[in-house]
Amino acid sequence: MEIAKNANDSTKAGPKKEKESLPYDLIPEILTRVPFEYLHTCRLVCKDWESIIHESSFMQLHSERTRTISGFFIQRIVSNRFRKSFISLYQSPNILQPSIDFLPEDVRIMASSRHGLLCCVSEQIQEGRIGKYWQIPRYYICKPVTKEWRQIPNPKTRYFTERVALVVQSSKPLHYKLVRFSWPRHTMSYLQCEIFNSDSWTWKRSENIPLPDLALLLPGPGVLIQGEIHWLTTENSIFAFNTDSESWRMIALPREGPNYLNGHDRVYVDITEFKGKLALIYSNNVWMELWAMENHSEEIWERKQAVSFSRALQTEYPFFSLLALYATEILLLNCAYDFIWYNFENDTYTDEMKWDYLTPQTALPFESDLVPCNM
């Protein structure tokens, strides 16, 4: 009766007051203190939060306050060995650069995760009685910042590896999946798919994937968006694989295409993530355009950015290529022996490091906290 009376009293008191919302300026202050393991959940709350978390100013402040690392592992092949270095635009001075030198042998990074894990594979030439031979590869999962690692069972190594993706399902407890696409040696009419589940500690073979027109997956890390891993293909399309349903589809590139194609025959296309959405970057040494998929299920693309590179950048670095999108407004560029961060909103750039060798490279995105994952 008392409850009913109170309810009636509240009804007579008049209309309810609207809930007060936080001032917008306070939201970044709060989010920069959110622990790394919960930041991904915050990205899903609303578009405003998603946008804030991908800004470079937020990334710097969050890294300092939560002692986290974000950047790229740069990998190159020199004299049949894989050379790896980590670069980051924002990193606390008291945090050591992550490395995988603690692994028992020289390895190649096959896939990275924004949860601080790497999948690595040993690929070495050994000397034997009958000459040189490739050893049977060994697969490792590791967390570089805590120097934790574990060898996992081998998949069907007689098949040639096309691409590998690492998908973390949860961090506490740690649960992840490895998705490996490979070509059978006797045919290239289909891709074979194998999935390693850390819970069962076994590989499972999924259905074969007959890619249209013998399309090949282009080099580069897979982009994970809404449960699907994406790669560009040689047939000007995007291959998307769902790790939960183990289904796949082909996504068409934007029909309109970039505005700058006329008069520029050599245009590069890169796949990336932009504010939590699947995105494409068309670029050359003069301009770039960024397109994002506004509706992932209906495959609706929208042009987000159109940038003309400054005369100063083109003069100082006549030849450069885009490696990755680091933040909403910052690109990682490879200029021959140099790597630079380029802010296309205020037209500023900063040299990052130099390489001794001019060889092809891969940039694998990496984010991590300093908390052991107990693998």
Side-chain angles (χ1 to χ4, degrees):
M1 294 295 294
E2 187 67 26
I3 296 176
K5 181 180 178 181
N6 291 338
N8 293 331
D9 290 344
S10 63
T11 304
K12 295 176 182 179
K16 294 182 179 179
K17 293 183 179 179
E18 294 184 2
K19 291 183 179 180
E20 296 182 359
S21 58
L22 284 173
Y24 187 81
D25 293 342
L26 284 181
I27 295 176
E29 280 294 312
I30 296 173
L31 291 178
T32 53
R33 292 172 169 81
V34 173
F36 176 78
E37 61 182 300
Y38 302 115
L39 195 61
H40 176 72
T41 304
C42 293
R43 290 172 176 166
L44 306 177
V45 171
C46 64
K47 291 183 178 180
D48 286 341
W49 286 25
E50 180 79 55
S51 180
I52 290 171
I53 290 171
H54 284 87
E55 293 174 356
S56 59
S57 57
F58 174 89
M59 294 170 65
Q60 180 179 10
L61 195 55
H62 183 264
S63 176
E64 294 172 355
R65 289 177 171 174
T66 61
R67 301 191 73 223
T68 57
I69 298 174
S70 66
F72 297 92
F73 271 97
I74 306 296
Q75 182 169 250
R76 290 190 175 193
I77 302 176
V78 179
S79 301
N80 290 326
R81 297 181 71 87
F82 292 94
R83 294 201 173 191
K84 301 161 285 285
S85 296
F86 181 80
I87 59 176
S88 176
L89 185 58
Y90 307 119
Q91 184 173 328
S92 301
N94 58 343
I95 299 179
L96 297 177
Q97 289 283 85
S99 168
I100 56 175
D101 293 341
F102 57 88
L103 290 179
E105 54 188 327
D106 183 53
V107 295
R108 174 185 180 184
I109 302 176
M110 299 297 293
S112 63
S113 164
R114 293 189 181 276
H115 294 75
L117 299 185
L118 297 179
C119 172
C120 303
V121 179
S122 65
E123 292 182 342
Q124 296 182 358
I125 297 178
Q126 300 292 333
E127 295 282 353
R129 294 183 179 180
I130 57 175
K132 295 182 179 180
Y133 64 95
W134 283 97
Q135 72 172 23
I136 297 176
R138 287 182 283 271
Y139 282 68
Y140 299 94
I141 294 292
C142 68
K143 185 168 184 175
V145 295
T146 58
K147 297 185 177 181
E148 296 171 278
W149 65 274
R150 189 173 183 183
Q151 184 177 346
I152 66 173
N154 272 2
K156 302 294 183 182
T157 56
R158 66 179 179 272
Y159 299 136
F160 177 76
T161 301
E162 176 76 354
R163 295 291 174 264
V164 175
L166 173 59
V167 180
V168 176
Q169 306 283 344
S170 65
S171 56
K172 290 184 179 180
L174 180 62
H175 176 215
Y176 58 87
K177 289 182 179 180
L178 272 179
V179 183
R180 176 179 179 259
F181 300 100
S182 58
W183 291 109
R185 295 186 183 275
H186 61 280
T187 180
M188 293 184 67
S189 60
Y190 64 88
L191 272 178
Q192 178 176 283
C193 176
E194 296 167 279
I195 300 177
F196 177 80
N197 191 318
S198 64
D199 282 351
S200 61
W201 207 246
T202 57
W203 288 89
K204 182 189 73 171
R205 181 168 174 175
S206 186
E207 293 184 5
N208 293 333
I209 301 173
L211 292 183
D213 300 322
L214 296 180
L216 301 177
L217 306 185
L218 290 175
V223 178
L224 180 64
I225 303 290
Q226 296 186 18
E228 289 185 335
I229 314 167
H230 303 79
W231 282 276
L232 283 170
T233 75
T234 53
E235 297 300 314
N236 292 322
S237 59
I238 299 173
F239 170 72
F241 183 83
N242 190 299
T243 56
D244 293 325
S245 64
E246 299 182 17
S247 59
W248 65 278
R249 61 174 173 152
M250 302 298 290
I251 299 175
L253 301 188
R255 293 181 180 180
E256 300 87 348
N259 288 335
Y260 297 91
L261 279 179
N262 293 333
H264 297 282
D265 296 332
R266 196 167 187 178
V267 176
Y268 299 95
V269 186
D270 295 275
I271 189 171
T272 186
E273 176 189 356
F274 179 74
K275 297 183 179 180
K277 300 173 182 176
L278 182 66
L280 295 170
I281 299 180
Y282 296 88
S283 67
N284 59 16
N285 280 37
V286 179
W287 58 267
M288 77 156 230
E289 275 194 8
L290 189 148
W291 291 67
M293 184 174 282
E294 283 300 308
N295 189 310
H296 197 264
S297 59
E298 298 182 11
E299 302 180 12
I300 298 176
W301 294 93
E302 184 176 305
R303 184 185 291 109
K304 293 296 184 180
Q305 297 280 353
V307 177
S308 295
F309 294 124
S310 67
R311 289 287 183 182
L313 178 66
Q314 296 179 50
T315 301
E316 186 170 357
Y317 301 100
F319 304 101
F320 61 82
S321 60
L322 190 151
L323 274 182
L325 179 70
Y326 178 65
T328 303
E329 75 283 22
I330 296 179
L331 302 171
L332 176 62
L333 304 179
N334 180 209
C335 311
Y337 295 95
D338 300 288
F339 291 87
I340 65 172
W341 303 103
Y342 178 66
N343 187 317
F344 53 80
E345 285 193 353
N346 58 25
D347 190 29
T348 58
Y349 48 92
T350 306
D351 288 327
E352 172 62 32
M353 71 175 185
K354 296 181 180 292
W355 283 81
D356 298 331
Y357 300 90
L358 185 62
T359 56
Q361 71 288 309
T362 303
L364 297 105
F366 181 81
E367 288 182 312
S368 181
D369 57 17
L370 307 183
V371 180
C373 61
N374 302 317
M375 64 177 59

